[in-house]
Amino acid sequence: VLDKTYTIRATSNIAFIKYWGRRNHELNLPYNSSISMTLDENLSATTSVEFSNSFKEDMLIIDGKRQDLNFQRSEKASYLRRALEHARKTAGLNAHALVVSENNFPSGTGLASSAAGAAALSLAIVKALDLKIDTREISKIARQVSGSGCRSLHGGIVKWHRGTHHDGSDSFAEQLFDTSYWPELIDLVAIVTTSSKKVSSSEGHTLTPRTSRLYDLRPKIAEAEAKKAETAIRNRDFNLLAEIVMRDSNNLHAVCLDSWPPIIYLNDVSRAIIYAIHELNENYGKNVAAYTFDAGANAHIITTQKHRAAVEGTLSSINGIKRVLYSKQGNGPRLLSEGKSLINDEVIRHTGIYKY
Ligand code: DP6
């Protein structure tokens, strides 16, 4: 398994019921279950991993930039270190790893996906070490790299079970419906801002439960809504699903505002989109589209193929939207052929990772 590179491409996902707030920091365990739709390869991360005894250290390169794994204050670095340690222990090996990752997110959109990256990384590590573990176990590795990342291990509609055990053994993601169940569901991403967020989701997961007085209500509401969302999807009831999706997004941004100091992700353009989608739905006399916002001002509009043009028309009338991306449901991660590897002799020489 050593000295061979494995490359995985994984895609982003958009949560219908969102993860906000962790009950266990070390293990990245959420207060509530979440449900998401995996996106297609328009929004993906590709990660190559190679383990070798001739490497003198672990090295991570994202979009051509070397990341400092020893930077103590970087949580991402420590999550990655932990994922590597865990995998090495399972494999009974000491070899160091070279990890090279690239996002294909259209440049200038400000979109980046920790979810796609975490899923690709976790799978590539497991492949590279030939670990005989099932998807549930891989899910737990990905979860610890980035919570939303465990959902990107599957295609279609996915649920991340919050679990109840203290050790996180029952907190993993699984597929609810594959892409063929309701292929009409799509996501139109309205790019509103390209600047990065002031408060990372990781900080928010800690700050909100600790300071928001409204947060106590959220886990119970979200858990119940997740069950309703599952039923709405099973019945292909878009009208109901859309209301659940919009209200969960609003609920998240309400507890963000109620945090102290307040966390504000939405801006005037985001709000204009919210109003416009409500107006569109009113004109139809039923919900044909749903907005949902993650930790940022960019809007994801969930709709069906049938109403794509109507939603695009609505979005085109709003000032301040830079561009609109389109994504169908994605099938989940896949292993790429050796020819597609991001690691080659030249990259290795360039890194100076060899011992000798
Ligand atoms: C608002 O998965 O990015 O997008 O575990 O710290 O990497 P970390 O957090 P992350 O949080 C996602 C927050 C969200 C909602 C969601 O995708 O569920």
Side-chain angles (χ1 to χ4, degrees):
V1 296
L2 295 180
D3 303 297
K4 201 165 177 301
T5 133
Y6 285 89
T7 305
I8 301 283
R9 178 164 298 158
T11 61
S12 187
N13 68 75
I14 178 66
F16 292 172
I17 302 294
K18 296 180 193 292
Y19 160 43
W20 199 256
R22 54 168 82 91
R23 64 180 203 271
N24 180 314
H25 188 80
E26 277 295 295
L27 297 167
N28 214 8
L29 299 177
Y31 275 111
N32 63 268
S33 304
S34 50
I35 292 186
S36 59
M37 173 172 110
T38 295
L39 301 179
D40 65 22
E41 291 195 2
N42 286 330
L43 298 165
S44 71
T46 304
T47 302
S48 297
V49 171
E50 181 170 332
F51 284 85
S52 173
N53 281 325
S54 32
F55 293 162
K56 60 182 177 213
E57 58 186 337
D58 289 329
M59 202 179 276
L60 169 65
I61 298 171
I62 301 178
D63 290 333
K65 275 191 232 93
R66 183 172 169 183
Q67 313 289 311
D68 187 355
L69 288 181
N70 295 316
F71 184 44
Q72 289 306 329
R73 280 177 47 216
S74 158
E75 245 175 75
K76 288 290 153 214
S78 70
Y79 283 145
L80 173 70
R81 275 204 310 269
R82 220 177 310 154
L84 288 174
E85 286 317 319
H86 179 84
R88 270 191 285 255
K89 218 168 106 191
T90 313
L93 287 168
N94 288 318
H96 286 299
L98 172 60
V99 181
V100 182
S101 191
E102 262 168 27
N103 290 304
N104 84 332
F105 291 66
S107 59
T109 58
L111 290 178
S113 177
S114 61
L121 170 81
S122 312
L123 267 178
I125 290 177
V126 168
K127 274 273 167 216
L129 289 178
D130 194 27
L131 300 181
K132 304 283 182 254
I133 59 176
D134 58 18
T135 344
R136 228 175 244 205
E137 288 308 310
I138 306 173
S139 186
K140 290 179 209 162
I141 297 177
R143 182 196 80 217
Q144 292 183 59
V145 179
S146 175
S148 54
C150 70
R151 298 189 310 243
S152 276
L153 286 174
H154 305 275
I157 306 292
V158 181
K159 181 170 190 176
W160 172 14
H161 301 275
R162 75 181 286 281
T164 53
H165 298 168
H166 293 305
D167 62 359
S169 53
D170 56 352
S171 184
F172 60 89
E174 71 178 353
Q175 185 182 63
L176 292 178
F177 304 96
D178 69 23
T179 51
S180 67
Y181 191 79
W182 199 0
E184 290 82 7
L185 278 189
I186 58 167
D187 181 12
L188 293 166
V189 194
I191 308 299
V192 165
T193 172
T194 55
S195 58
S196 62
K197 47 202 174 196
K198 283 198 193 77
V199 181
S200 70
S201 35
S202 191
E203 289 170 86
H205 290 309
T206 312
L207 183 70
T208 302
R210 201 155 46 81
T211 60
S212 164
R213 295 159 182 162
L214 297 179
Y215 186 78
D216 285 354
L217 294 169
R218 176 162 168 82
K220 223 166 75 206
I221 296 172
E223 210 60 42
E225 293 296 296
K227 290 210 180 71
K228 277 198 225 161
E230 199 175 325
T231 309
I233 296 166
R234 180 164 293 115
N235 297 332
R236 300 187 184 86
D237 181 346
F238 190 84
N239 184 50
L240 179 60
L241 177 67
E243 180 175 333
I244 295 169
V245 168
M246 291 185 278
R247 292 183 73 141
D248 183 71
S249 174
N250 293 342
N251 184 282
L252 186 153
H253 292 279
V255 296
C256 281
L257 184 61
D258 191 51
S259 303
W260 195 258
I263 307 172
I264 301 171
Y265 290 121
L266 307 184
N267 65 17
D268 286 348
V269 185
S270 321
R271 280 183 280 275
I273 294 172
I274 292 177
Y275 285 124
I277 295 297
H278 278 286
E279 199 182 306
L280 175 74
N281 289 337
E282 257 160 48
N283 290 341
Y284 272 89
K286 62 176 184 187
N287 297 325
V288 297
Y291 52 80
T292 181
F293 299 83
D294 284 340
N298 296 324
H300 289 256
I301 311 298
I302 311 302
T303 185
T304 49
Q305 294 286 6
K306 190 175 164 194
H307 295 105
R308 176 178 174 181
V311 172
E312 284 173 340
T314 298
L315 295 177
S316 68
S317 69
I318 300 171
N319 281 333
I321 296 179
K322 297 184 199 305
R323 62 189 283 199
V324 177
L325 307 174
Y326 163 73
S327 175
K328 302 183 296 311
Q329 281 176 65
N331 287 314
R334 60 191 178 98
L335 180 67
L336 300 189
S337 65
E338 261 179 73
K340 297 268 169 60
S341 175
L342 303 174
I343 298 178
N344 53 40
D345 289 348
E346 202 195 315
V347 170
I348 292 189
R349 218 174 316 119
H350 196 73
T351 58
I353 195 173
Y354 273 132
K355 275 180 189 159
Y356 318 107

